[in-house]
């Protein structure tokens, strides 16, 4: 079992920055691939970014490439999402997810989820 708790969401103006954190506890954190997804009302959960178990590979949705950066600190059992140049269309609830094997773009592949943190970008 892995428990995930997100933090760092909030209200920011367009062009601003936020850093989300996801603290993991339970089984060996470094054994999991981690990802961030986001969701707005009435829409499916959307892939944002992922990082492999080793931390050596990262993946991004085209909509955030060049603006968002995913990273991990295994010593702190935490994964981060640095979000720069935020746009109103980035407004969503952001979820952290963990997979026992691979970093993928499909939400259905992930075994564990956090409760989500709201990010609101005003124009």
């Amino acid at each position: 079992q892995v428990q995930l708790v997100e933090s760092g969401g909030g209200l920011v103006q367009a062009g601003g920055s936020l850093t989300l954190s996801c603290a993991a506890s339970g089984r060996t954190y470094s054994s999991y691939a981690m990802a961030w997804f986001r969701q707005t009302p009435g829409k499916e959960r959307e892939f944002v970014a992922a990082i492999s178990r080793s931390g050596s590979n990262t993946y991004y949705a085209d909509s955030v490439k060049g603006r968002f950066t995913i990273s991990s600190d295994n010593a702190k059992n935490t994964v981060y999402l640095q979000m720069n140049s935020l746009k109103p269309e980035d407004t969503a609830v952001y979820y952290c997810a963990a997979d026992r094997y691979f970093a993928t773009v499909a939400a259905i592949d992930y075994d564990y989820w956090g409760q989500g943190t709201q990010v609101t970008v005003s124009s």
Side-chain angles (χ1 to χ4, degrees):
Q1 278 294 89
V2 174
Q3 292 78 44
L4 305 174
V5 179
E6 302 98 335
S7 61
L11 174 64
V12 64
Q13 288 188 334
S17 299
L18 278 176
T19 300
L20 304 183
S21 300
C22 173
S25 62
R27 294 194 64 181
T28 306
Y29 166 70
S30 61
S31 299
Y32 292 80
M34 304 295 294
W36 289 94
F37 287 78
R38 65 189 182 186
Q39 190 170 24
T40 54
K43 293 189 177 181
E44 293 188 354
R45 203 160 286 190
E46 174 191 23
F47 171 76
V48 176
I51 188 165
S52 63
R53 291 169 59 183
S54 67
S56 58
N57 295 301
T58 57
Y59 310 91
Y60 296 94
D62 287 343
S63 58
V64 307
K65 202 170 293 183
R67 300 188 297 121
F68 291 11
T69 303
I70 189 171
S71 62
S72 61
D73 184 338
N74 288 346
K76 295 183 179 180
N77 288 350
T78 300
V79 64
Y80 303 96
L81 185 68
Q82 172 68 44
M83 305 185 294
N84 298 325
S85 302
L86 282 161
K87 304 175 181 180
E89 51 263 42
D90 294 318
T91 295
V93 176
Y94 283 71
Y95 296 91
C96 175
D99 182 81
R100 286 177 290 176
Y101 302 108
F102 302 110
T104 77
V105 304
I108 196 171
D109 291 337
Y110 287 84
D111 304 305
Y112 305 103
W113 292 87
Q115 82 290 349
T117 186
Q118 176 71 46
V119 171
T120 302
V121 184
S122 63
S123 57

